């Protein structure tokens, strides 16, 4: 990508590659796609969705009262620049934009902590708390890149 954007949508090519049948934990809404935060952590490109109705701790809240935020448990690795939609422009609600302004470092830091937590959970997958994290995390589909 010539100029990397901070907020993106994933492309049809991404969703064709990662269908909901084979990859059920990847968030797919074709009628109203999730806005993603596009970041790089340790040389790995990630798209992390902004979601609502979140009820777990792996999040950076943009609106905690309404359970809206950056959902690290649904982050995906971007292995191909064509997985980013270059046509559609995401438009954030003002309150979300304000909540995320100046938070790039914090988002990267929280993503790294989530990756570390995921790797630790892999070491003891039989623990109940780890089973839940491993079952619902999209990182399970991208372990080779971590």
């Amino acid at each position: 990508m010539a100029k990397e954007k901070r907020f993106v949508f994933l492309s049809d090519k991404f969703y064709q590659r990662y269908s909901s049948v084979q990859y059920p934990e990847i968030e797919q809404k074709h009628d109203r796609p999730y806005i993603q935060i596009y970041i790089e952590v340790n040389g790995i490109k990630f798209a992390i969705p902004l979601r609502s109705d979140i009820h777990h701790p792996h999040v950076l809240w943009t609106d905690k009262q309404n359970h809206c935020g950056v959902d690290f448990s649904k982050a995906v690795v971007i292995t191909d620049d064509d997985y980013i939609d270059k046509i559609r422009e995401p438009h954030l609600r003002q309150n979300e934009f304000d909540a995320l302004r100046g938070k790039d470092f914090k988002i990267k830091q929280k993503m790294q902590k989530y990756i570390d937590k995921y790797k630790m959970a892999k070491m003891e997958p039989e623990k109940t708390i780890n089973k839940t994290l491993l079952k619902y995390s999209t990182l399970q589909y991208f372990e080779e890149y971590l």
Side-chain angles (χ1 to χ4, degrees), residues 31-139:
D31 55 331
R32 194 174 57 86
Y34 289 97
I35 294 174
Q36 309 275 332
I37 296 181
Y38 186 57
I39 64 164
E40 191 170 314
V41 177
N42 295 329
I44 304 165
K45 295 176 185 174
F46 290 93
I48 312 166
L50 291 169
R51 296 183 60 225
S52 55
D53 200 29
I54 302 170
H55 297 283
H56 60 74
H58 314 295
V59 62
L60 174 64
W61 298 111
T62 56
D63 181 351
K64 190 170 186 172
Q65 183 177 355
N66 293 304
H67 303 276
C68 299
V70 182
D71 188 347
F72 297 100
S73 74
K74 301 301 177 191
V76 297
V77 174
I78 301 301
T79 58
D80 183 336
D81 287 343
D82 288 339
Y83 289 166
I84 301 298
D85 187 326
K86 294 170 184 68
I87 298 167
R88 292 182 293 174
E89 286 287 326
H91 298 284
L92 269 64
R93 292 182 288 243
Q94 190 63 46
N95 68 324
E96 286 184 305
F97 181 81
D98 292 344
L100 294 170
R101 186 187 334 240
K103 298 279 190 335
D104 288 7
F105 177 76
K106 188 172 189 172
I107 292 167
K108 288 181 182 186
Q109 192 176 43
K110 285 184 82 74
M111 185 67 215
Q112 182 61 60
K113 284 184 180 179
Y114 181 73
I115 293 167
D116 293 344
K117 188 175 195 110
Y118 179 86
K119 288 179 177 179
M120 292 294 285
K122 288 289 290 181
M123 291 183 189
E124 295 184 275
E126 67 285 345
K127 280 187 174 179
T128 303
I129 193 164
N130 292 345
K131 279 182 189 176
T132 302
L133 187 146
L134 296 170
K135 179 179 179 180
Y136 294 109
S137 177
T138 51
L139 293 185

Side-chain angles (χ1 to χ4, degrees), residues 5-20:
K5 300 176 189 177
R6 182 173 182 212
F7 301 106
V8 298
F9 287 116
L10 297 176
S11 69
D12 289 339
K13 183 176 180 179
F14 175 86
Y15 291 114
Q16 288 165 5
R17 167 66 180 86
Y18 295 100
S19 75
S20 59

